């Protein structure tokens, strides 16, 4: 079970630390203070995860059970790799029998059992390369992709929404029947057409906001559960409303 680290600090490092005024710009100092005082950052270090993002996936799974039963997983926008670490663990993936394929245009240190492609997911060759790398039909497609920030909020949102949309079409193209798709999106950002496409193809489509996703962030996750299969698209979706946690 994923325990919320809020209010407690199990890493032994003090919370509420301040960075001395001086060399850093005020905005950088604030970022650094928030980072070192973030209980999820401290807990990720303690538990050997490469990023605090691990807890978003674990919290979503705790409620929606998407990891148990997954035999092959594709991780889009994987670096630095905490979701891939979890994916490798739950699939018992090894280098001899890899069950996780991951992609990012940034470098990622190797993770045993994870086949990593360093390339842009929007490259037209990326889908085929991922299919080759996974070596079988995946039952879970994860996307934590966020477009690099430009400083222009609306542009950043639109780019990340585009990544979510391309990821959703990829999921429908590769998933095994009964499989799930989880992707980063923004509050109020999911396009109606994308939601309709997902509702046609999955039995349940919801929005979720795990506690470890910062409250001030407009980040949300779109979860589409129970892929109907490529033959059965268009049949009725059992749960149609979107639910925020
Ligand atoms: C929030 S981070 C992912 C963190 C990751 N889930 C983890 O647990 O370590 C988002 C990642 O998406 C990647 N990304 C964004 N756009 C991408 C694209 N077009 N192709 C591949 N990766 C992309 C970024 O480079 C970044 O590493």
């Amino acid at each position: 079970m994923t325990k919320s680290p809020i209010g407690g600090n199990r890493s032994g490092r003090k919370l509420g630390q301040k960075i001395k005024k001086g060399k850093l710009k005020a905005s950088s100092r604030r970022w650094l203070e928030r980072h070192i005082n973030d209980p999820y950052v401290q807990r990720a270090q303690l538990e050997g995860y490469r990023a605090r993002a691990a807890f978003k996936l674990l919290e979503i799974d705790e409620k929606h059970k998407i990891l148990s039963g997954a035999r092959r997983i594709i991780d889009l926008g994987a670096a630095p790799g905490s979701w891939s670490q979890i994916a490798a663990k739950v699939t018992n993936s090894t280098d001899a029998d890899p069950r996780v394929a991951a992609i990012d245009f940034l470098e990622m240190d190797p993770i045993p059992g994870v086949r990593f492609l360093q390339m842009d997911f929007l490259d037209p060759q990326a889908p085929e390369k991922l299919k080759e790398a996974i070596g079988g039909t995946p039952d879970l497609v994860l996307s934590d992709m966020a477009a690099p920030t430009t400083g222009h909020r609306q542009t950043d949102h639109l780019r990340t929404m585009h990544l979510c949309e391309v990821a959703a079409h990829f999921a429908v193209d590769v998933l095994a029947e009964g499989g799930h798709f989880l992707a980063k999106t923004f509050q109020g950002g999911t396009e109606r057409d994308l939601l309709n496409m997902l509702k046609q193809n999955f039995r349940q489509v919801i929005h979720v906001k795990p506690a470890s996703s910062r409250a001030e962030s407009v980040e949300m996750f779109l979860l589409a559960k129970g892929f109907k299969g490529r033959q059965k698209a268009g049949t009725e979706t059992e749960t149609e409303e979107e639910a925020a946690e």
Side-chain angles (χ1 to χ4, degrees):
M1 181 163 143
T2 330
K3 289 199 192 102
S4 167
I6 299 296
N9 171 22
R10 303 196 292 148
S11 73
R13 187 137 51 81
K14 265 196 247 161
L15 293 175
Q17 293 186 86
K18 297 269 181 216
I19 306 289
K20 276 190 191 148
K21 287 184 185 162
K23 284 179 188 155
L24 290 177
K25 277 200 300 185
S27 58
S28 309
R29 203 178 64 241
R30 276 198 302 276
W31 183 89
L32 197 58
E33 275 177 3
R34 192 179 70 170
H35 186 75
I36 61 172
N37 291 315
D38 182 333
Y40 288 104
V41 170
Q42 300 190 2
R43 189 171 157 203
Q45 286 167 358
L46 191 74
E47 296 185 21
Y49 290 119
R50 293 180 179 183
R52 74 189 292 293
F55 300 107
K56 300 178 192 174
L57 178 58
L58 291 172
E59 279 172 21
I60 292 170
D61 179 59
E62 197 171 314
K63 184 153 182 197
H64 299 283
K65 311 282 178 246
I66 54 174
L67 292 171
S68 56
R71 282 156 301 175
R72 290 182 199 272
I73 300 178
I74 292 185
D75 184 11
L76 309 174
S82 72
W83 285 21
S84 284
Q85 288 178 292
I86 295 167
K89 194 170 166 195
V90 297
T91 54
N92 295 317
S93 189
T94 60
D95 286 339
D97 181 16
R99 283 156 183 278
V100 179
I103 187 169
D104 203 297
F105 50 51
L106 298 181
E107 274 181 39
M108 184 168 95
D109 287 339
I111 297 172
V114 177
R115 284 203 165 162
F116 178 63
L117 305 172
Q118 187 178 356
M119 69 187 293
D120 188 340
F121 175 64
L122 297 177
D123 182 320
Q125 292 188 348
E128 277 314 309
K129 297 227 176 216
L130 280 164
K131 284 185 211 169
E132 271 168 40
I134 193 80
T137 311
D139 23 40
L140 181 59
V141 172
L142 303 170
S143 169
D144 197 17
M145 284 187 292
T149 46
T150 60
H152 187 265
R153 210 179 157 121
Q154 241 181 327
T155 306
D156 296 343
H157 278 207
L158 284 172
R159 288 191 178 164
T160 295
M161 288 317 307
H162 178 62
L163 288 168
C164 178
E165 197 177 326
V166 180
H169 285 280
F170 172 71
V172 164
D173 189 37
V174 296
L175 273 175
E177 191 172 336
H180 313 307
F181 169 63
L182 175 71
K184 192 201 286 292
T185 179
F186 291 115
Q187 269 159 25
T190 315
E191 298 285 340
R192 210 30 55 202
D193 286 353
L194 173 58
L195 278 178
N196 288 339
M197 187 283 275
L198 289 172
K199 284 176 184 175
Q200 273 170 15
N201 283 284
F202 291 84
R203 304 211 175 281
Q204 186 183 26
V205 180
I206 56 175
H207 281 101
V208 291
K209 171 104 178 153
S212 48
S213 175
R214 292 188 171 102
E216 69 274 21
S217 159
V218 289
E219 172 189 80
M220 295 276 287
F221 289 87
L222 184 58
L223 175 60
K225 285 185 82 179
F227 180 52
K228 293 174 185 172
R230 275 165 283 283
Q231 311 301 321
K232 296 180 193 154
T235 56
E236 210 175 302
T237 296
E238 281 165 17
T239 308
E240 295 212 335
E241 79 271 23
E242 297 152 38
E245 288 190 326

